[in-house]
Amino acid sequence: MSSPHLVAVVGNPNCGKSALFNALTGLRQKVANYPGATVERRTGKVLHHAEIELIDLPGTYSLTPRSPDEAVTQQVLAGTHSIERKPDAILCVVDATNLAQHLRFVLELRGLGLPIVIALNMIDMATRERIAIDSKLLSEKLGIPVIETVAVRKKGLPELTEQLLHVINVGAPSCADYGDSLKQRQKAARKIAADVTLSEGIGHKTTRILDKILLHPVIGLIILFTLLFTMFQAVFAWAETPMDMIEAGIGGLQEYFANTLPDGFLLSVLNDGILSGVGAVVVFLPQILILFFFILILESTGYMARAAFLMDKLMSAVGLNGRAFIPLLSSFACAIPGIMAARSISNEKDRLTTILIAPLMTCSARLPVYTVIIAAFIPDKTVGIGIGLQGLVLFSLYLAGIVAALIAAALLKRFVVKGTADTFMLELPKYQTPNLRFVLIGLFERARLFLKRAGSIILVSTIVLWILAIYPVAPEGADKPAVAYSFVGIIGGWLQNIFAPIGFNWEISAALVPGMAAREVAIAALGTVYSLSGSDEMLEVGLVTVLNNAWSLPTALSFLVWFVFAPQCLSTIAVARRETGGWKWPLFMVAYLFGIAYIACFITYQTASALL
Amino acid sequence: MNHLSNVVIPLGALLIGSRGKVTELSGDQHDLETSDRIDRLREIGFSEGLDVELLHQSPFGKDPIAVRIGAMTVALRRSEANLIKVQVI
């Protein structure tokens, strides 16, 4: 069979392009409602029509690229992209509620000489806003097939596929002259839009009302900070029950193995290695899903762009702009998508600065670490109405990362990546009710990735650590736990020379090494190390109680501070290398983060030791 | 505000809640950076003859602003907004 026809899906940001791509291919693609959400290459074959392959290109307002992700769109369409072949046709997605603006881009695309089909999307929303468009007349005027679609309801999809196959066979529309300049195309687009629009519409009332509240100088800010605070409180409060259930399940399994298997190698690798290690991580799945749930909702409702607007002035104080807020907020879930989302920032210096500070945003993989230490050392009591002390400490840790990131940005902008501030221009999309299916698919995808990580990287490093932790075996008549004589004990002992001034014992020092594979492995590693040094106690009371007995409060605080600042996992460093095109900046990132982590921990540990 | 109608002012000088019609997008013609900024403003949706309304301003220093332009809402800083000239209505 010959290779399928390649069709590029293009359009302005916020036209529902990714949703249409999803509906056509049945592929799971992240759908977000802020400009520049599509940063990865996504392709998929049309359902029931494998002869058409779609490629979802980043949303753009024109063919003059303004940012790295827009450059991808321009290169693919021009056939100059390094890996992508030139598409056979264009599927241009047009927002029916904003016709004149989107048509200007259609006129520009028409100059490429490729066959085009227009999806007049969100036609249901247009009807609700009492906008009436004569799509047949529009099709005649443009000489291009126009199909009315509602991506989320799968309306118009068979017709769309049919027209795509049709235009691929008959070829591009004949040339039409709409002028060379932007201004001329704007004029032509306005003329066509006015001709085919039967009724102007009343605008999106809900958006206007909501913006009056959500962008209010006082109420809007209170809502933004309340939202962020609620998000972090919920991470603790909502996750409690499912976490208890998972913990009980793992405990039950360990007990079952302890009772049925003979003492020895197999029991130890199962209970002390795999279940202690992987179990210590899997238990955080509910918290990570809650965090992602909030971020997905904020993205898909269109609120994220408002948050960027509210934050722009603060960001400009440190030399960035409000746009950087979006990748930075995504970094709370994971620094990797955050660093990649920085592609939508047009100014190269701003983009670099955003990448360098993204790891200071507390990613979800650090939640397990924070949770265990907070549960072990911070009393579970309330301070004021509905505010738990544990939640408050967690919030402060996040805040510490944010403040450090802002200071780092200001310093980097001033001394390292010198450059002028970028402009800030951002469309505030209409508010939309989040599509529950897309949110659930997004969560499912996160859960799958997390469990896959737990099943691969974390499982392997846990087993390797377990082996290093039991060999070599302790000499006869040893007075310390066996693990102290193992490779882990030896390596931990070396590292302790570096980390003793910040209060880390050899167990912690040893756990930091596998923690570079993935943040949460540090907790798994502590689980394994402590499980081996006193496995009976560990089985009965769990890691939280063990740590509470083994560490002093200054050590615990220092450990928390370490995780706020310390260089991130290897995947983050790898993605920073890819996105900055070399080793210079990732190495700089590791060095400066290590530096502030060590200094901050030293101050924390020494101050806490002196005071307590 | 009758005395202000028909006066042409930069968009950045518009008061919150007031409306206008875009008369031109202009700045230093010879400055490459400025003409690039004007292109960007056009791409995102600003164009002569469209109605604009200053809807919101940032709680910090009243900058950036959010304006309705045609059927969309765009957030931008006042310095860029000043490249857009509007006739107050």
Side-chain angles (χ1 to χ4, degrees), chain A residues 66 104 186 423 426 428, chain B residues 36 42-43 46 73 75 80:
Chain A
R66 304 290 180 188
R104 183 196 42 74
Q186 275 186 324
T423 60
L426 187 65
L428 303 182
Chain B
D36 187 61
R42 285 193 188 281
E43 284 163 11
F46 289 97
T73 309
E80 268 91 52

Side-chain angles (χ1 to χ4, degrees), chain A residues 62 66 97-98 101 104 183 186 190 208 211 217 221 312-313 316 321 422-428, chain B residues 36-37 40 42-48 53 55-56 59-60 63-64 71-73 75-77 80:
Chain A
S62 80
R66 304 290 180 188
T97 65
N98 195 5
Q101 158 72 0
R104 183 196 42 74
K183 200 172 164 179
Q186 275 186 324
R190 285 256 298 285
R208 299 200 69 167
D211 270 345
L221 273 188
D312 178 64
K313 191 70 187 184
S316 79
N321 75 45
D422 186 19
T423 60
F424 173 68
M425 228 182 269
L426 187 65
E427 183 183 344
L428 303 182
Chain B
D36 187 61
R37 282 180 182 195
R40 273 207 221 191
R42 285 193 188 281
E43 284 163 11
I44 209 167
F46 289 97
S47 166
E48 288 86 354
E53 180 181 355
L55 295 175
H56 310 282
F60 311 104
D63 193 21
M72 59 202 295
T73 309
L76 75 171
R77 288 190 183 157
E80 268 91 52

Side-chain angles (χ1 to χ4, degrees), chain A residues 387-524:
Chain A
I387 299 171
L389 182 62
Q390 295 188 329
L392 197 65
V393 170
L394 184 72
F395 187 69
S396 331
L397 290 170
Y398 275 83
L399 205 63
I402 296 166
V403 172
L406 293 179
I407 296 171
L411 294 175
L412 289 170
K413 258 312 201 36
R414 201 178 162 87
F415 299 111
V416 188
V417 282
K418 295 169 199 153
T420 51
D422 186 19
T423 60
F424 173 68
M425 228 182 269
L426 187 65
E427 183 183 344
L428 303 182
K430 292 188 178 87
Y431 287 103
Q432 281 180 23
T433 320
N435 184 307
L436 194 65
R437 221 184 106 238
F438 288 145
V439 171
L440 288 180
I441 287 172
L443 283 183
F444 177 77
E445 191 70 357
R446 290 316 306 182
R448 200 179 61 83
L449 284 175
F450 179 77
L451 292 176
K452 209 175 126 195
R453 247 156 81 98
S456 55
I457 305 176
I458 299 174
L459 180 66
V460 169
S461 41
T462 307
I463 292 176
V464 169
L465 186 79
W466 174 82
I467 293 169
L468 292 178
I470 57 165
Y471 295 106
V473 291
E476 287 287 324
D479 55 345
K480 285 191 273 181
V483 68
Y485 300 94
S486 68
F487 287 116
V488 167
I490 295 165
I491 297 168
W494 292 337
L495 289 176
Q496 204 199 346
N497 294 328
I498 308 171
F499 291 116
I502 61 172
F504 289 3
N505 55 26
W506 70 264
E507 289 96 335
I508 301 177
S509 308
L512 293 180
V513 179
M516 287 301 285
R519 299 273 90 184
E520 59 272 43
V521 176
I523 281 300

